[in-house]
Amino acid sequence: MAEAGVQLDIDFARSHFPALGGGWALFENAGGTLAADTVIARTHSYMTENFVQPGGGYDASAEAARRINESQRLMAEMMGAEPGEVMVGISTGMNVFLLSHAIRGWFEPGDEIIVTNLDHEANSGAWRRLDEFGLTIREWRINPETAELELAELKKLLGARTRLVCFSHLSNIAGGINDVAEITRMVHAAGALVCVDGVAYAPHRALDVKAWDVDFYLCSLYKLYGPHLSLLYGKREHLERAANNNHYFLADDIPLKLNPSGPNHELTAALSGITDYFDILHRHHFRDSNLALHDRIKQVYGLMAEHEERIAAPFVEFLRAKKGVRLIGRQTADKVLRAPTFSFTVAGRRAEEIPAALLPFKLAIGSGDFYAARCIRDLGLESQGGVIRASMVHYNTEAEVARLIEGLDSVI
Ligand SMILES: Cc1ncc(COP(=O)(O)O)c(C=O)c1O
């Protein structure tokens, strides 16, 4: 049980990110978060003590395999999956590409895949390319006024030939949380599967792939306080049925068969540093340590969500009130409706001018299309250089947000 009224101890959380400091307020976290010290320590200790071929009988080698396997097990638990259902790969873009390759044989010419015009290209381009094999690609398009994917629009697209629907849990531009469980129910009722990009969602809210009943789900760990790696979850029955991307003699090795390069050893071994970090936060804030890891992680995400909402609220107010500013997506900091990934435009200014103008204030924000180029095009924002994006995570502070508001107020 959560202790009543408990709030994230922000100083404690920040003490686990050695790269914080130097006076910079970092608001490009949707591009990549800092790594927790626990992840850095585990990378260092693996490379110091276990940088040998894993899986042999000698001490360093047996320990290397144990660390790698343990990390993979913990990542599956963090996602709410079974061990063996989560593959570690080098990036989400690569994992989607590998998945599309491994399951394209399930589809026949004329079958349909639905992708969106909201998403980062990672969960879109690889699927669109399957038109080379005769598949029909249909687009679930956003409402250009709200930047929302509407369920009524999806309903119109679902049909007898729909095989797969690919969408994001949270747009890295608009920041709104999509109802994955509801969308998945609709898609399953139409006899199709879902592949969900959870990259922008995972730094902010707990993952629960079984509860959502998704078929495939992806997240990138360098945006989740870890190293440059990605997780691909697939239901066991799907991974069994998928074609082998790996050497022929590894065809039965699930999930390794999807990944022809195999996992990066030192960084995979370091992934347990992510769950270490959540656990350290849990011990610091909650008394009940008998909960399962997934439940402890969920409680910690609860603290993060409340903190994010608290620090984001004045920022939303500022953007909404500031003349000439258009906030894209939901006009709220409500943690149920969005994460604090805020994209906006300023009338008469190119997007890249604003981050540049904030550099003297030691404020780091971003601009551009963030590889969601179709979204930026269809919102009509290409000619002004895309959007300006300020993205927060739980280690940002109220004081940093106040500085951001002050900085923006003086340059807009
Ligand atoms: C929403 C979203 N999906 C996918 C990706 C791609 O992730 P990766 O760099 O691991 O391929 C990104 C990266 O910015 C992203 O923001």
Side-chain angles (χ1 to χ4, degrees), residues 30-31 90-94 119-123 168 170-172 197-201 219-223 228-230 370-371 389:
I90 62 166
S91 70
T92 292
M94 181 63 99
D119 287 5
H120 184 287
E121 194 65 10
N123 194 27
S168 56
L170 189 129
S171 149
N172 65 335
D197 175 346
V199 172
Y201 181 85
C219 65
S220 296
L221 299 163
Y222 67 95
K223 302 186 201 263
H228 259 266
L229 289 179
S230 157
F370 303 100
Y371 285 15
R389 186 177 75 178

Side-chain angles (χ1 to χ4, degrees), residues 209-270:
V209 291
K210 292 289 178 200
W212 301 325
D213 197 30
V214 289
D215 299 286
F216 301 105
Y217 194 95
L218 298 114
C219 65
S220 296
L221 299 163
Y222 67 95
K223 302 186 201 263
L224 187 45
Y225 322 112
H228 259 266
L229 289 179
S230 157
L231 303 179
L232 164 62
Y233 160 80
K235 281 184 178 168
R236 178 83 196 179
E237 75 239 41
H238 298 330
L239 297 181
E240 279 170 7
R241 199 175 147 225
N244 178 28
N245 285 329
N246 210 326
H247 310 309
Y248 72 90
F249 44 83
L250 294 173
D252 295 326
D253 196 328
I254 296 168
L256 186 64
K257 74 173 190 182
L258 285 187
N259 188 357
S261 63
N264 171 305
H265 292 173
E266 63 274 24
L267 296 184
T268 303

Side-chain angles (χ1 to χ4, degrees), residues 328-379:
I328 311 290
R330 297 180 184 166
Q331 309 285 305
T332 174
D334 187 330
K335 63 183 188 296
V336 177
L337 298 175
R338 68 140 61 239
T341 299
F342 297 107
S343 294
F344 56 98
T345 58
V346 179
R349 305 283 289 275
R350 285 195 58 82
E352 66 271 18
E353 287 176 33
I354 306 298
L358 290 183
L359 293 177
F361 299 89
K362 289 198 159 186
L363 291 164
I365 67 169
S367 71
D369 66 21
F370 303 100
Y371 285 15
R374 297 171 202 273
C375 168
I376 294 302
R377 182 196 60 202
D378 294 346
L379 288 174

Side-chain angles (χ1 to χ4, degrees), residues 275-334:
T275 46
D276 289 345
Y277 174 59
F278 276 87
D279 244 345
I280 287 171
L281 287 182
H282 192 271
R283 278 199 299 279
H284 186 76
H285 293 88
F286 300 98
R287 279 193 288 273
D288 186 356
S289 55
N290 291 323
L291 294 172
L293 174 67
H294 192 233
D295 292 327
R296 299 198 298 276
I297 290 175
K298 276 192 195 164
Q299 283 195 329
V300 171
Y301 268 114
L303 294 180
M304 291 175 172
E306 277 169 22
H307 176 81
E308 288 177 1
E309 183 182 87
R310 200 161 44 242
I311 64 169
F315 190 60
V316 172
E317 255 175 60
F318 165 75
L319 293 178
R320 293 189 58 187
K322 184 78 186 170
K323 207 161 170 276
V325 169
R326 174 186 168 206
L327 169 63
I328 311 290
R330 297 180 184 166
Q331 309 285 305
T332 174
D334 187 330

